[in-house]
Amino acid sequence: MLLPNLSIFFVFSNISLFYLFPLRLKALGGTDPQIGFVMSLFSISMVLSRPIWGRIISSFGERKIIMISILIISFSSLIYIFSTSIDCFLMNLRLLHGLGFSGFIAGIFSLLSKTTPKRKAGATFSFTGIAIMTSMAISPSIGEILILRYGFSSLFISASILSLIPAFIVPFISKQNQSTLIHHSIQRPSYMVFLKEKRFLYLLLSTWIFSHSQATVFNFISLLLKEYKEMPSTFFFPSFSISILSLFILSKTLDSVEKSRLLKISYPIYSLSIFLIPLSIKMDISLLSTAMFGYGMASLFSIHNTLAATYGVKEHRHYSMSLFTAVYDLGFITGPIMGGLILNYAKYDMLMNYMSIFSTIGVLIAFSNFLNEKETKG
């Protein structure tokens, strides 16, 4: 699974550069609610289009959809150069960018879930996490340098080029499962089949809580750090470095441990880390919270993806994975929007505290028996 994960690395490098986009919006005169709304449009497009991409994959296969999506991402990233105000053009551009990314995620995660044996799912998605976290650890720091030296246009050009590289990788990805996809397209299951299953619903809820709180931190941490005259890289680089290290360990161990039990350890660490972020910045010991956040993020990402990727029968996983990844992306809508609204009445440090409290719902789910793996089908 080297080539799919290499493609993931470059596409997520594109997305990671756009974690600095709130700084651009702030420079254009955007308020916190406006920034939250504009940032969330990307994910709104992803969530609304994801079920449609799942249906299209059923007919045309993953590789074609991945290629089309890459071209959309690259084109839309370049067009940001022509956006000089917060207007309808920028909002539509965010929607187009999200549409392309949604198709890529639907295709690549479906491909991974279908070609990975269940006994190796933990290792596979840990390496997927490594690809994602590596891009997130490196890209913001590079983005800061580009913005300081050459302006935001250089950020958009670089993002466009990075996302186009997988177009030269995808043709070499195995064509396995293409005939299987089309053969099973006649017997398309309803999405409601998955939504009626209690365990899958709790998995989706736990996933949304994780992604909602994660998205809130990602979208507003740069503004919190700016208040203390700190660079965003002081958070992104160490937290994602710890995530990468954690994922290397998880790639060797996750398939041999009970995921629901590991969830009971990882969720409390993740929740507490968000609470500690503003406190540790004030006390100049931010490495403590970033290390905890990095581990929690890596572990929760691997566990949720592994549980989803091994759910149900293999031939229908482009549907279950479309639902799962759509709910994950939903958090990247609700996080910025609700975060922006909260900031009308609270400061950035209080926003982090609220997210910590909110994430305790995920802790409660982890300590329940709803995600017990003995209920797993297939």
Side-chain angles (χ1 to χ4, degrees):
M1 287 295 105
L2 173 62
L3 294 182
N5 282 325
L6 192 59
S7 298
I8 287 172
F9 169 79
F10 286 113
V11 170
F12 270 86
S13 293
N14 170 286
I15 302 306
S16 299
L17 287 175
F18 278 91
Y19 281 130
L20 300 175
F21 197 54
L23 299 176
R24 170 64 169 171
L25 296 174
K26 199 76 170 179
L28 293 175
T31 63
D32 288 326
Q34 284 179 323
I35 292 172
F37 176 71
V38 172
M39 292 301 291
S40 69
L41 287 174
F42 178 90
S43 296
I44 289 173
S45 178
M46 284 199 294
V47 171
L48 293 180
S49 63
R50 189 63 50 76
I52 299 172
W53 282 120
R55 292 286 186 183
I56 296 174
I57 287 172
S58 181
S59 299
F60 296 99
E62 286 91 350
R63 292 173 72 256
K64 290 181 181 178
I65 300 307
I66 292 170
M67 183 65 81
I68 291 170
S69 301
I70 287 169
L71 297 177
I72 294 173
I73 295 169
S74 181
F75 172 77
S76 59
S77 298
L78 187 61
I79 300 302
Y80 278 99
I81 293 175
F82 302 104
S83 179
T84 56
S85 63
I86 301 176
D87 53 14
C88 289
F89 175 77
L90 176 59
M91 293 179 186
N92 287 324
L93 189 55
R94 291 294 290 168
L95 292 173
L96 180 64
H97 195 180
L99 177 69
F101 187 61
S102 178
F104 176 81
I105 291 297
I108 206 75
F109 275 74
S110 173
L111 185 67
L112 285 170
S113 68
K114 289 179 179 179
T115 57
T116 303
K118 184 176 178 180
R119 67 183 183 278
K120 295 182 179 179
T124 295
F125 282 95
S126 292
F127 280 115
T128 299
I130 290 170
I132 294 172
M133 302 301 177
T134 302
S135 68
M136 290 181 171
I138 297 172
S139 297
S141 299
I142 296 174
E144 287 176 0
I145 296 172
L146 290 171
I147 292 169
L148 288 173
R149 292 189 178 182
Y150 310 108
F152 280 96
S153 293
S154 64
L155 183 81
F156 304 142
I157 293 171
S158 299
S160 177
I161 293 172
L162 285 169
S163 62
L164 191 60
I165 292 174
F168 301 96
I169 298 175
V170 171
F172 296 98
I173 296 177
S174 171
K175 293 186 178 182
Q176 182 181 357
N177 291 316
Q178 298 304 296
S179 60
T180 304
L181 282 169
I182 298 173
H183 175 76
H184 284 88
S185 63
I186 300 175
Q187 301 176 332
R188 297 176 177 175
S190 168
Y191 281 112
M192 290 304 299
V193 171
F194 298 98
L195 294 175
K196 288 179 181 179
E197 298 191 22
K198 185 177 180 180
R199 178 180 174 274
F200 194 70
L201 277 177
Y202 277 106
L203 175 61
L204 295 181
L205 178 59
S206 178
T207 300
W208 174 68
I209 292 167
F210 167 51
S211 65
H212 174 93
S213 53
Q214 182 187 32
T216 303
V217 173
F218 283 171
N219 281 282
F220 294 103
I221 189 65
S222 59
L223 299 176
L224 171 63
L225 288 165
K226 188 177 180 180
E227 284 191 343
Y228 293 93
K229 295 180 171 48
E230 298 282 350
M231 298 293 285
S233 58
T234 60
F235 173 82
F236 285 109
F237 185 77
S239 63
F240 287 118
S241 296
I242 294 294
S243 289
I244 293 166
L245 177 61
S246 300
L247 286 164
F248 270 115
I249 297 171
L250 287 167
S251 69
K252 304 295 183 182
T253 60
L254 188 57
D255 289 313
S256 60
V257 300
E258 189 177 339
K259 283 73 176 176
S260 56
R261 182 173 297 178
L262 183 58
L263 203 63
K264 295 174 183 178
I265 299 172
S266 302
Y267 234 129
I269 293 174
Y270 172 78
S271 179
L272 180 60
S273 72
I274 300 175
F275 179 80
L276 291 175
I277 286 174
L279 182 62
S280 62
I281 293 173
K282 292 176 184 177
M283 298 177 64
D284 201 25
I285 53 170
S286 58
L287 186 58
L288 172 64
S289 61
T290 54
M292 293 174 62
F293 184 82
Y295 164 77
M297 180 171 57
S299 182
L300 294 182
F301 175 87
S302 291
I303 293 169
H304 285 97
N305 273 278
T306 301
L307 290 174
T310 56
Y311 196 91
V313 296
K314 181 179 294 187
E315 291 78 13
H316 294 159
R317 282 182 187 156
H318 51 284
Y319 290 102
S320 59
M321 289 303 288
S322 289
L323 276 175
F324 168 76
T325 54
V327 169
Y328 183 84
D329 292 339
L330 179 63
F332 284 80
I333 299 175
T334 56
I337 290 180
M338 293 178 65
L341 293 174
I342 290 172
L343 287 171
N344 281 324
Y345 310 98
K347 295 182 179 180
Y348 295 114
D349 54 354
M350 287 304 299
L351 174 63
M352 298 300 162
N353 293 339
Y354 292 147
M355 285 304 99
S356 177
I357 295 171
F358 174 74
S359 64
T360 58
I361 301 173
V363 176
L364 294 176
I365 294 175
F367 277 88
S368 71
N369 293 320
F370 295 128
L371 298 181
N372 193 303
E373 292 164 85
K374 289 187 291 187
E375 297 180 31
T376 304
K377 295 185 178 182

